[in-house]
């Protein structure tokens, strides 16, 4: 039996696009001699569809698309994911399911049992867990088909004593196939290999795993579909961050022509770079936009975002707006111009001194006798926000937010100013990682000016200002933030590691106090195990200080 894994990029709710893509790859697999082609979890509608699932018409369109796909499953079979109605009048209305299509007909429905309900996942909101499991019979071979989490959260789901595979193994299948929508984080690829390898070993059976690729707003899927032998050895690994189709020959209970191989580990920062480029590219293409605008300060954050956008969209589609204030240094303007010249993107220089002075004059009677402080600094940032939003409105650009994760965490940003934007590009990238990204971007030659990398970070909103005036050193700050946000360590747990108690408590207080700001920021491209946004839900008015 020849089995094709189709690792594709879907578009949520775009049934014509998804259906045509699936049919195209059915025909491609058929032309290559495949007997079976396998697509990802919820491929027909795209993942995650969220509350689209609450519309009856949406589910009907899924079924209609499946009917069109079935017509092409003649001379070849396919496994494809979609939501299906729960015909039993109990529990949730839907199952997260897969159709096995053969001879132009639906032959088997496979339903997902272990529904993730953590981090970015919320499948219990929509789906009923499966309670009955049956192998797919194809060409005289029993195949155990499972959906994503059914091979993951085996021992941690209180609703199940055993996993779906513990039930399916009793039917004596010869091959496991798992279809998935497994989001990217820079720590996830190695974990994924270990979990799937353990399943192959546990059930002593070859395993084929197909993941989707592409970004759906903040969630990025990295592909990296995998094949394992019955001993749990990785025997093939498909590309990351790109579409691909690969055919495997299964015969005599083995996947032929492949020897054990090591996981192709890629440095974290390279993975983050590729994920962010894909995230920008798909956000624009799937939203129907092509041109981006951002404020370019001469600092490292906006420089990295500008370089990423130029790679994702083409430099000709990126507008960088330089908005010097009376406190901006000459080198900041020159650093920004050097970057623009290196990239070849468009730029405008629009000074904000007159606008900021006008606000200061307008507010002078109300602020009479009060000293210059954060208020006037924020007015400058908000003048810049008005300018880049005006450019967006006038020319149809989409504004990219350039705040990094360290700033987002501690609230070091101005609402309706530098926190404006449609998508947060590096909001899940700590400042220390931003420096690593800059060096990675410059690996083949200078793109980001060296001065943007080596100079002390500054918002340049008052004379001689530096980030270090308000924040701890980023090397220390980021380590404490990682412990608190990603690892969910308490203050006492972090202090026990040797960090200064007053500093730890100050940082955690800053993080918790800034929650109201994060609720008003754009969606952030997720590259870490715990990003701000839908995967981290904290109360704004809570008083708990860890």
């Amino acid at each position: 039996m020849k089995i094709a894994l189709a690792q594709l990029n879907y578009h949520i709710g775009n049934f014509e696009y998804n259906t045509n893509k699936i049919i195209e790859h059915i025909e491609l697999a058929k032309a290559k001699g495949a007997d079976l082609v396998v697509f990802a979890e919820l491929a027909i509608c795209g993942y995650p569809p969220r509350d689209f699932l609450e519309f009856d018409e949406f589910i009907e369109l899924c079924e209609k698309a499946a009917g069109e796909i079935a017509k092409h499953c003649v001379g070849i079979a396919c496994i494809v994911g979609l939501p299906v109605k729960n015909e039993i009048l109990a529990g949730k209305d839907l199952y997260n399911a897969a159709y096995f299509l053969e001879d132009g007909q639906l032959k088997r429905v496979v339903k997902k049992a272990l529904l993730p309900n953590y981090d970015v996942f919320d499948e219990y909101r929509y789906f009923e867990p499966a309670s009955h499991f049956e192998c797919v019979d194809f060409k005289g071979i029993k195949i155990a088909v499972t959906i994503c989490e059914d091979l993951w959260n085996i021992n941690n789901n209180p609703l199940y004593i055993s996993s779906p595979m513990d039930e399916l193994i009793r039917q004596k299948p010869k091959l496991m196939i798992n279809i998935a929508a497994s989001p990217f984080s820079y720590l996830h690829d190695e974990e994924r290999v270990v979990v799937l390898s353990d399943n192959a070993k546990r059930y002593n059976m070859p395993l084929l795993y197909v993941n989707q690729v592409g970004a759906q707003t903040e969630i990025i899927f990295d592909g990296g579909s995998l094949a394992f032998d019955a001993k749990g050895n990785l025997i093939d690994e498909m590309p990351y961050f790109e579409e691909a189709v690969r055919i495997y020959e299964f015969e005599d209970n083995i996947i032929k022509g492949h020897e054990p191989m090591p996981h192709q580990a890629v440095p974290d920062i390279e993975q983050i770079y590729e994920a962010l480029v894909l995230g920008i590219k798909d956000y624009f293409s799937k939203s129907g936009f092509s041109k981006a605008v951002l404020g370019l300060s001469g600092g490292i954050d906006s420089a990295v975002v500008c370089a990423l956008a130029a790679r994702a969209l083409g430099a000709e589609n990126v507008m960088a707006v330089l908005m010097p204030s009376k406190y901006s240094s000459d080198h900041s303007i020159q650093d920004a111009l050097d970057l623009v010249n290196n990239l070849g993107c468009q730029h405008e220089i629009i000074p904000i001194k007159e606008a900021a002075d006008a606000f200061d004059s307008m507010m002078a009677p109300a602020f009479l006798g009060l000293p210059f402080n954060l208020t006037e600094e924020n007015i400058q940032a908000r003048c810049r926000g008005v300018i880049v939003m005006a450019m967006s409105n006038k020319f149809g650009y989409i504004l990219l937010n350039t705040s990094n994760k360290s700033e987002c965490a501690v609230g070091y940003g101005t609402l309706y100013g530098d926190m404006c934007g449609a998508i947060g590009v590096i909001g899940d990238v700590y400042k220390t990682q931003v420096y690593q990204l800059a060096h990675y971007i410059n690996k083949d030659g200078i793109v980001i000016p060296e001065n943007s990398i080596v100079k002390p970070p500054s918002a340049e909103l008052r004379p001689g200002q530096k980030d270090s005036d308000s924040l701890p050193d980023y090397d220390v700050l980021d380590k404490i933030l990682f412990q608190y946000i990603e690892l969910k360590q308490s203050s006492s747990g972090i202090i026990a590691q040797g960090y200064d108690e007053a500093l730890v408590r100050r940082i955690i207080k800053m993080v918790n106090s800034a929650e109201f700001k994060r609720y008003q920021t754009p969606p952030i491209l997720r590259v870490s195990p715990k990003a701000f946004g839908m995967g981290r839900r904290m109360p704004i008015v809570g008083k708990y200080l860890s």
Side-chain angles (χ1 to χ4, degrees), residues 383-410:
C383 287
R384 289 178 171 133
V386 168
I387 291 167
V388 288
M389 284 306 303
M391 295 291 288
S392 172
N393 292 158
K394 184 63 73 174
F395 300 107
Y397 300 129
I398 292 296
L399 176 59
L400 300 178
N401 178 270
T402 63
S403 300
N404 63 63
K405 190 171 188 175
S406 306
E407 294 171 346
C408 291
V410 298

Side-chain angles (χ1 to χ4, degrees), residues 205-226:
M205 195 183 312
L207 167 61
L208 293 175
Y209 162 89
V210 62
N211 189 26
Q212 63 179 267
V213 69
Q216 310 290 4
T217 311
E218 66 268 63
I219 302 178
I220 301 166
F221 299 95
D222 58 341
S225 302
L226 303 163

